[in-house]
mmCIF file of all heavy atoms in Angstrom:
data_model
loop_
_atom_site.group_PDB
_atom_site.id
_atom_site.type_symbol
_atom_site.label_atom_id
_atom_site.label_comp_id
_atom_site.label_asym_id
_atom_site.label_seq_id
_atom_site.Cartn_x
_atom_site.Cartn_y
_atom_site.Cartn_z
ATOM 1 N N ILE A 11 12.312 24.177 -57.509
ATOM 2 C CA ILE A 11 13.413 24.723 -58.296
ATOM 3 C C ILE A 11 12.923 25.911 -59.109
ATOM 4 O O ILE A 11 13.577 26.960 -59.165
ATOM 5 C CB ILE A 11 14.014 23.640 -59.210
ATOM 6 C CG1 ILE A 11 14.551 22.473 -58.374
ATOM 7 C CG2 ILE A 11 15.118 24.220 -60.086
ATOM 8 C CD1 ILE A 11 15.087 21.330 -59.206
ATOM 9 N N ALA A 12 11.755 25.757 -59.744
ATOM 10 C CA ALA A 12 11.191 26.856 -60.525
ATOM 11 C C ALA A 12 10.891 28.059 -59.637
ATOM 12 O O ALA A 12 11.232 29.204 -59.985
ATOM 13 C CB ALA A 12 9.917 26.386 -61.231
ATOM 14 N N ASP A 13 10.273 27.830 -58.485
ATOM 15 C CA ASP A 13 9.970 28.929 -57.568
ATOM 16 C C ASP A 13 11.254 29.588 -57.075
ATOM 17 O O ASP A 13 11.336 30.823 -56.958
ATOM 18 C CB ASP A 13 9.163 28.425 -56.382
ATOM 19 C CG ASP A 13 7.763 27.975 -56.768
ATOM 20 O OD1 ASP A 13 7.301 28.388 -57.853
ATOM 21 O OD2 ASP A 13 7.148 27.213 -56.008
ATOM 22 N N GLY A 14 12.269 28.763 -56.794
ATOM 23 C CA GLY A 14 13.528 29.307 -56.301
ATOM 24 C C GLY A 14 14.206 30.207 -57.315
ATOM 25 O O GLY A 14 14.806 31.229 -56.952
ATOM 26 N N ILE A 15 14.117 29.869 -58.591
ATOM 27 C CA ILE A 15 14.699 30.702 -59.643
ATOM 28 C C ILE A 15 14.006 32.062 -59.688
ATOM 29 O O ILE A 15 14.661 33.115 -59.748
ATOM 30 C CB ILE A 15 14.597 29.982 -61.004
ATOM 31 C CG1 ILE A 15 15.569 28.795 -61.045
ATOM 32 C CG2 ILE A 15 14.861 30.940 -62.158
ATOM 33 C CD1 ILE A 15 15.412 27.905 -62.254
ATOM 34 N N GLU A 16 12.684 32.064 -59.656
ATOM 35 C CA GLU A 16 11.950 33.325 -59.743
ATOM 36 C C GLU A 16 12.129 34.180 -58.496
ATOM 37 O O GLU A 16 12.253 35.412 -58.582
ATOM 38 C CB GLU A 16 10.471 33.027 -60.003
ATOM 39 C CG GLU A 16 10.238 32.382 -61.379
ATOM 40 C CD GLU A 16 8.766 32.148 -61.675
ATOM 41 O OE1 GLU A 16 7.932 32.338 -60.760
ATOM 42 O OE2 GLU A 16 8.442 31.773 -62.828
ATOM 43 N N HIS A 17 12.167 33.557 -57.329
ATOM 44 C CA HIS A 17 12.384 34.314 -56.091
ATOM 45 C C HIS A 17 13.790 34.910 -56.057
ATOM 46 O O HIS A 17 13.979 36.055 -55.624
ATOM 47 C CB HIS A 17 12.166 33.417 -54.872
ATOM 48 C CG HIS A 17 10.736 33.025 -54.666
ATOM 49 N ND1 HIS A 17 10.351 31.927 -53.924
ATOM 50 C CD2 HIS A 17 9.581 33.584 -55.123
ATOM 51 C CE1 HIS A 17 9.034 31.833 -53.931
ATOM 52 N NE2 HIS A 17 8.543 32.824 -54.656
ATOM 53 N N ALA A 18 14.776 34.149 -56.515
ATOM 54 C CA ALA A 18 16.146 34.657 -56.548
ATOM 55 C C ALA A 18 16.266 35.840 -57.500
ATOM 56 O O ALA A 18 16.980 36.816 -57.224
ATOM 57 C CB ALA A 18 17.106 33.543 -56.956
ATOM 58 N N MET A 19 15.547 35.791 -58.622
ATOM 59 C CA MET A 19 15.596 36.903 -59.565
ATOM 60 C C MET A 19 14.991 38.162 -58.961
ATOM 61 O O MET A 19 15.516 39.272 -59.130
ATOM 62 C CB MET A 19 14.846 36.523 -60.854
ATOM 63 C CG MET A 19 14.983 37.572 -61.957
ATOM 64 S SD MET A 19 16.699 37.791 -62.448
ATOM 65 C CE MET A 19 16.616 39.429 -63.189
ATOM 66 N N ALA A 20 13.892 38.002 -58.245
ATOM 67 C CA ALA A 20 13.272 39.154 -57.586
ATOM 68 C C ALA A 20 14.233 39.774 -56.570
ATOM 69 O O ALA A 20 14.345 41.009 -56.469
ATOM 70 C CB ALA A 20 11.972 38.730 -56.909
ATOM 71 N N GLU A 21 14.952 38.922 -55.835
ATOM 72 C CA GLU A 21 15.894 39.448 -54.841
ATOM 73 C C GLU A 21 17.071 40.138 -55.519
ATOM 74 O O GLU A 21 17.537 41.193 -55.057
ATOM 75 C CB GLU A 21 16.385 38.322 -53.939
ATOM 76 C CG GLU A 21 17.315 38.820 -52.832
ATOM 77 C CD GLU A 21 17.757 37.723 -51.892
ATOM 78 O OE1 GLU A 21 17.079 36.679 -51.824
ATOM 79 O OE2 GLU A 21 18.794 37.906 -51.231
ATOM 80 N N LEU A 22 17.573 39.561 -56.618
ATOM 81 C CA LEU A 22 18.687 40.196 -57.315
ATOM 82 C C LEU A 22 18.293 41.548 -57.890
ATOM 83 O O LEU A 22 19.090 42.486 -57.897
ATOM 84 C CB LEU A 22 19.194 39.287 -58.439
ATOM 85 C CG LEU A 22 20.259 38.260 -58.068
ATOM 86 C CD1 LEU A 22 20.657 37.447 -59.289
ATOM 87 C CD2 LEU A 22 21.492 38.931 -57.457
ATOM 88 N N LEU A 23 17.072 41.664 -58.372
ATOM 89 C CA LEU A 23 16.596 42.962 -58.871
ATOM 90 C C LEU A 23 16.542 43.984 -57.750
ATOM 91 O O LEU A 23 16.914 45.146 -57.933
ATOM 92 C CB LEU A 23 15.221 42.804 -59.522
ATOM 93 C CG LEU A 23 15.201 42.205 -60.925
ATOM 94 C CD1 LEU A 23 13.767 41.977 -61.387
ATOM 95 C CD2 LEU A 23 15.929 43.127 -61.911
ATOM 96 N N ALA A 24 16.093 43.554 -56.580
ATOM 97 C CA ALA A 24 16.070 44.455 -55.424
ATOM 98 C C ALA A 24 17.484 44.874 -55.049
ATOM 99 O O ALA A 24 17.737 46.048 -54.738
ATOM 100 C CB ALA A 24 15.369 43.779 -54.254
ATOM 101 N N ARG A 25 18.412 43.937 -55.073
ATOM 102 C CA ARG A 25 19.794 44.258 -54.745
ATOM 103 C C ARG A 25 20.405 45.185 -55.798
ATOM 104 O O ARG A 25 21.262 46.022 -55.492
ATOM 105 C CB ARG A 25 20.615 42.970 -54.648
ATOM 106 C CG ARG A 25 20.158 42.006 -53.557
ATOM 107 C CD ARG A 25 20.495 42.520 -52.172
ATOM 108 N NE ARG A 25 21.931 42.478 -51.912
ATOM 109 C CZ ARG A 25 22.569 41.422 -51.444
ATOM 110 N NH1 ARG A 25 21.906 40.283 -51.204
ATOM 111 N NH2 ARG A 25 23.863 41.472 -51.220
ATOM 112 N N THR A 26 19.966 45.033 -57.050
ATOM 113 C CA THR A 26 20.448 45.909 -58.115
ATOM 114 C C THR A 26 20.018 47.346 -57.866
ATOM 115 O O THR A 26 20.794 48.296 -58.058
ATOM 116 C CB THR A 26 19.915 45.425 -59.476
ATOM 117 O OG1 THR A 26 20.396 44.112 -59.725
ATOM 118 C CG2 THR A 26 20.352 46.342 -60.603
ATOM 119 N N LYS A 27 18.761 47.540 -57.435
ATOM 120 C CA LYS A 27 18.273 48.891 -57.136
ATOM 121 C C LYS A 27 19.067 49.503 -55.992
ATOM 122 O O LYS A 27 19.394 50.698 -56.016
ATOM 123 C CB LYS A 27 16.784 48.837 -56.792
ATOM 124 C CG LYS A 27 15.893 48.453 -57.965
ATOM 125 C CD LYS A 27 14.429 48.384 -57.557
ATOM 126 C CE LYS A 27 13.560 47.967 -58.724
ATOM 127 N NZ LYS A 27 12.119 47.843 -58.343
ATOM 128 N N ILE A 28 19.380 48.703 -54.989
ATOM 129 C CA ILE A 28 20.176 49.203 -53.858
ATOM 130 C C ILE A 28 21.567 49.600 -54.344
ATOM 131 O O ILE A 28 22.098 50.655 -53.969
ATOM 132 C CB ILE A 28 20.269 48.129 -52.755
ATOM 133 C CG1 ILE A 28 18.889 47.888 -52.150
ATOM 134 C CG2 ILE A 28 21.267 48.544 -51.677
ATOM 135 C CD1 ILE A 28 18.860 46.731 -51.168
ATOM 136 N N SER A 29 22.159 48.765 -55.206
ATOM 137 C CA SER A 29 23.481 49.073 -55.737
ATOM 138 C C SER A 29 23.481 50.361 -56.533
ATOM 139 O O SER A 29 24.395 51.188 -56.416
ATOM 140 C CB SER A 29 23.962 47.904 -56.619
ATOM 141 O OG SER A 29 25.198 48.189 -57.207
ATOM 142 N N ARG A 30 22.433 50.563 -57.325
ATOM 143 C CA ARG A 30 22.345 51.800 -58.111
ATOM 144 C C ARG A 30 22.163 53.018 -57.227
ATOM 145 O O ARG A 30 22.756 54.067 -57.470
ATOM 146 C CB ARG A 30 21.181 51.681 -59.103
ATOM 147 C CG ARG A 30 21.480 50.791 -60.293
ATOM 148 C CD ARG A 30 20.267 50.662 -61.165
ATOM 149 N NE ARG A 30 20.564 49.919 -62.377
ATOM 150 C CZ ARG A 30 19.642 49.482 -63.227
ATOM 151 N NH1 ARG A 30 18.355 49.727 -62.975
ATOM 152 N NH2 ARG A 30 19.984 48.813 -64.303
ATOM 153 N N SER A 31 21.331 52.891 -56.196
ATOM 154 C CA SER A 31 21.097 54.038 -55.304
ATOM 155 C C SER A 31 22.377 54.431 -54.587
ATOM 156 O O SER A 31 22.633 55.621 -54.357
ATOM 157 C CB SER A 31 20.000 53.697 -54.298
ATOM 158 O OG SER A 31 20.404 52.667 -53.423
ATOM 159 N N ARG A 32 23.200 53.441 -54.250
ATOM 160 C CA ARG A 32 24.472 53.753 -53.606
ATOM 161 C C ARG A 32 25.405 54.478 -54.562
ATOM 162 O O ARG A 32 26.143 55.371 -54.149
ATOM 163 C CB ARG A 32 25.120 52.466 -53.093
ATOM 164 C CG ARG A 32 24.415 51.887 -51.866
ATOM 165 C CD ARG A 32 25.016 50.552 -51.470
ATOM 166 N NE ARG A 32 24.383 50.034 -50.263
ATOM 167 C CZ ARG A 32 24.587 48.808 -49.779
ATOM 168 N NH1 ARG A 32 25.414 47.972 -50.427
ATOM 169 N NH2 ARG A 32 23.974 48.410 -48.678
ATOM 170 N N ARG A 33 25.360 54.094 -55.824
ATOM 171 C CA ARG A 33 26.201 54.788 -56.797
ATOM 172 C C ARG A 33 25.738 56.222 -56.996
ATOM 173 O O ARG A 33 26.543 57.119 -57.207
ATOM 174 C CB ARG A 33 26.193 54.036 -58.133
ATOM 175 C CG ARG A 33 26.954 52.727 -58.097
ATOM 176 C CD ARG A 33 27.358 52.292 -59.497
ATOM 177 N NE ARG A 33 26.202 52.105 -60.359
ATOM 178 C CZ ARG A 33 25.565 50.953 -60.494
ATOM 179 N NH1 ARG A 33 25.961 49.897 -59.798
ATOM 180 N NH2 ARG A 33 24.545 50.846 -61.304
ATOM 181 N N VAL A 34 24.425 56.416 -56.946
ATOM 182 C CA VAL A 34 23.893 57.769 -57.073
ATOM 183 C C VAL A 34 24.329 58.625 -55.888
ATOM 184 O O VAL A 34 24.705 59.795 -56.030
ATOM 185 C CB VAL A 34 22.354 57.732 -57.196
ATOM 186 C CG1 VAL A 34 21.777 59.136 -57.088
ATOM 187 C CG2 VAL A 34 21.945 57.086 -58.506
ATOM 188 N N GLU A 35 24.283 58.046 -54.678
ATOM 189 C CA GLU A 35 24.719 58.775 -53.492
ATOM 190 C C GLU A 35 26.199 59.130 -53.557
ATOM 191 O O GLU A 35 26.626 60.164 -53.032
ATOM 192 C CB GLU A 35 24.455 57.932 -52.242
ATOM 193 C CG GLU A 35 22.978 57.749 -51.927
ATOM 194 C CD GLU A 35 22.756 56.790 -50.779
ATOM 195 O OE1 GLU A 35 23.763 56.278 -50.241
ATOM 196 O OE2 GLU A 35 21.589 56.540 -50.440
#
């Protein structure tokens, strides 16, 4: 459960960067 929380946060941060780059485009 602890590992899953941290891995999910890393993925959400990556998805956030993708979302921002799309807004910039």
